[in-house]
Structure formats: C-alpha cells, structure tokens
Amino acid sequence: MRRLITTLIALSFIAILYVLLKPVDDQRTQTVQIESVVTKINKGRMGDYIIELEDKTGMFFISKANIKDVSLDSLVNKLSGQRVSISFIKPNILSRFGPMINKKQVTKLTVGCQTVFSTI
C-alpha cells in the first residue's frame, strides 16, 4: 500500500512539472490583440525589452530570445508616443498564480500598417 501511494505521488509530481514547464504556444489562436500608446521602452534585468503602455496595466515584454534583429534604440525611436497594436500570448490559468501574473509576452507589434516586430 505504501509503495502504491509513493508511486501515485511521484506520477502526480511529474504531471505537474510537465504542465508547468510545457512550452507556450504562440499561434494566433493563443494571442490577444490590444491597442494603446507607448509611454516607455527599456531593457529589463533579464535582457528582455519592456514596453509600458498608457492605459494598460502589467508589463509587456519582447523575449530576449526573439530580439536578434531588433535594437532597443530603434524601438524607442519608432514607438515612443505612438499608438501601437500589440498581440501577446494569452495567459493560461497557471500564470495567474505565479510571478508572471502581470507579464505578457509580445508576439507581434505594429504601428499603423508597419509591422515592427513579429514572432508569428
């Protein structure tokens, strides 16, 4: 009986780890699109680019894994004070309870008809 309980606990732990560490799908079905005015752009502690919006709460970030072709200076020049359209990955139920509660990963960033950044 004790061996069965230990096995069930181990399998439950593995299942929880799988759900928490599963890669995020950034397809169009998993994204939300909003529009707002950019108030500030800077580099975060982890190397990500952080975008702050005028009337939106939370932190919108471009992952450092996706910024190979985008420089911080060019983003600041193009986006400061501009009305932008941002698509970000829809938070799943587990992200509402952890340190990522107010952080949203940007998948597409456009100004007018010009796409400035996209992972899609």
Side-chain angles (χ1 to χ4, degrees):
M1 182 70 167
R2 186 173 178 177
R3 187 172 178 187
L4 176 66
I5 292 173
T6 305
T7 304
L8 288 175
I9 290 173
L11 289 175
S12 299
F13 182 71
I14 290 170
I16 290 170
L17 279 178
Y18 173 76
V19 170
L20 292 175
L21 299 176
K22 182 174 70 170
V24 178
D25 184 16
D26 66 348
Q27 296 177 1
R28 293 180 192 270
T29 59
Q30 298 294 344
T31 60
V32 176
Q33 185 175 356
I34 60 168
E35 289 189 12
S36 187
V37 176
V38 175
T39 57
K40 187 177 179 183
I41 302 172
N42 56 16
K43 193 170 190 173
R45 288 181 281 164
M46 302 300 289
D48 301 330
Y49 293 166
I50 311 300
I51 302 169
E52 294 181 21
L53 302 176
E54 186 175 72
D55 55 351
K56 304 295 180 191
T57 59
M59 180 180 76
F60 298 87
F61 71 96
I62 298 175
S63 174
K64 67 181 175 184
N66 298 322
I67 57 176
K68 296 175 184 112
D69 300 331
V70 181
S71 73
L72 183 62
D73 294 334
S74 68
L75 281 179
V76 170
N77 291 335
K78 287 180 185 177
L79 302 179
S80 291
Q82 296 291 320
R83 184 159 194 84
V84 297
S85 175
I86 292 182
S87 296
F88 61 91
I89 296 174
K90 187 186 312 182
N92 62 19
I93 191 142
L94 294 175
S95 65
R96 295 187 181 125
F97 299 107
M100 296 294 285
I101 192 166
N102 287 325
K103 299 175 185 172
K104 299 165 183 89
Q105 183 176 354
V106 176
T107 56
K108 187 173 183 182
L109 179 62
T110 59
V111 177
C113 296
Q114 179 186 14
T115 300
V116 177
F117 170 79
S118 179
T119 61
I120 300 173

